[in-house]
Amino acid sequence: GDSVTQMEGPVTLSEEAFLTINCTYTATGYPSLFWYVQYPGEGLQLLLKATKADDKGSNKGFEATYRKETTSFHLEKGSVQVSDSAVYFCALSDVNFGNEKLTFGTGTRLTIIP
Amino acid sequence: DAGVIQSPRHEVTEMGQEVTLRCKPISGHNSLFWYRQTMMRGLELLIYFNNNVPIDDSGMPEDRFSAKMPNASFSTLKIQPSEPRDSAVYFCASSLARNEQFFGPGTRLTVL
C-alpha cells in the first residue's frame, strides 16, 4: 500500500538557518504530494503541493520538488523564522485510483530559536 | 467565510460513557474526513464520506466507533462505550472535488 516516510524529529534550528525536512514515498500509482503544517493547538493547514513529476510547490518561502526518480518531496526553506515553529506533515493522495484519502507521514516537529 | 467547525473543542468523560463529536464542513464541499491524532500512532484516517455516502471506513478501529453524515452540512462521530485508549484529538476535514482538505480545529477527547 501507499506510505510516506519523513525525517524523524524534533528539529531545532537557529533563526535564519537553512531548513530541510526529508520525505520519501511509496505509491502504486501517480500520487499528488503535499506538505501540511500544524501550529500549536490548531488543525492542519496545507502549506504547498505538487501534482506531477518535476513540479515545484512553494508558499511562504518554503519549497518542495516532486522527484519521481528518487520518490522524494523534501521540504526546504532558505531562512527560517521563529514563527515557522510547528509540526510539518508530508502526505500523498493517489486520486487516480478513485480514492482521495491522504496518507500522512509521522510529522516532524520544528523549533526555531531566536 | 467560516472554516470547518467542530464541537465540542474539549470533552472529558468517564470510561463507558457515550461520546458524540460533531462537524460542520465548509459549505459546498462534497467530501468529509474524520481523523484521529495521538502521540503513539500519529494521524490516522478513520472514515471518509463523499456526497454524504461513506466511501472508506477501513480506519474505524472497532464496532464501538460509528460515523454518520445525514446531510451535506453535518456529520457525527460516536464512540459507545468509550475507553481510556480512545483519548486523542479528533479532526474533521472537508474538501471539494478531490482538492485541498481543510481541517477543523479538532476536539480533544479525554476518557478517564
Side-chain angles (χ1 to χ4, degrees):
Chain A
D2 296 346
S3 67
V4 175
T5 302
Q6 65 179 101
M7 182 174 176
E8 291 285 334
V11 174
T12 302
L13 296 172
S14 298
E15 205 166 20
E16 299 184 3
F18 184 86
L19 168 71
T20 300
I21 301 178
N22 290 337
C23 172
T24 57
Y25 67 90
T26 302
T28 51
Y30 300 93
S32 295
L33 302 174
F34 307 83
W35 278 100
Y36 278 80
V37 59
Q38 184 179 28
Y39 298 104
E42 298 183 10
L44 281 71
Q45 304 172 24
L46 179 66
L47 180 60
L48 54 84
K49 69 178 181 181
T51 57
K52 62 183 187 298
D54 300 325
D55 270 2
K56 177 186 284 188
S58 61
N59 186 26
K60 300 181 181 179
F62 290 89
E63 294 183 338
T65 301
Y66 189 142
R67 301 284 188 201
K68 189 168 183 288
E69 64 276 12
T70 54
T71 62
S72 65
F73 193 55
H74 304 322
L75 182 68
E76 296 182 336
K77 186 174 185 181
S79 176
V80 293
Q81 306 300 314
V82 172
S83 57
D84 295 327
S85 298
V87 181
Y88 292 80
F89 292 89
C90 185
L92 70 81
S93 176
D94 207 342
V95 298
N96 292 316
F97 283 76
N99 190 329
E100 61 179 298
K101 70 180 185 181
L102 288 169
T103 300
F104 285 92
T106 53
T108 301
R109 182 176 298 278
L110 173 66
T111 302
I112 307 301
I113 299 172
Chain B
D1 282 342
V4 175
I5 298 172
Q6 291 187 246
S7 64
R9 292 295 309 276
H10 301 273
E11 176 81 27
V12 180
T13 190
E14 292 189 347
M15 183 173 62
Q17 296 298 305
E18 177 179 297
V19 175
T20 300
L21 311 182
R22 297 173 176 80
C23 175
K24 177 178 169 56
I26 293 173
S27 177
H29 282 191
N30 61 350
S31 291
L32 183 140
F33 306 79
W34 281 103
Y35 292 89
R36 177 172 68 177
Q37 186 177 38
T38 62
M39 290 292 292
M40 291 298 295
R41 300 173 68 92
L43 196 62
E44 307 171 276
L45 177 68
L46 300 177
I47 185 171
Y48 89 89
F49 297 83
N50 182 257
N51 293 323
N52 311 338
V53 176
I55 302 300
D56 185 341
D57 65 354
S58 59
M60 294 287 263
E62 49 199 271
D63 291 346
R64 297 185 298 107
F65 285 69
S66 63
K68 294 183 180 179
M69 191 165 187
N71 57 62
S73 59
F74 184 66
S75 177
T76 60
L77 178 68
K78 185 176 294 187
I79 309 172
Q80 166 63 19
S82 58
E83 297 182 3
R85 60 193 168 116
D86 301 330
S87 297
V89 180
Y90 291 81
F91 289 103
C92 176
S94 70
S95 71
L96 174 63
R98 299 178 175 176
N99 287 315
E100 172 188 354
Q101 289 187 22
F102 291 82
F103 282 72
T107 296
R108 181 173 296 277
L109 173 65
T110 303
V111 183
L112 302 174

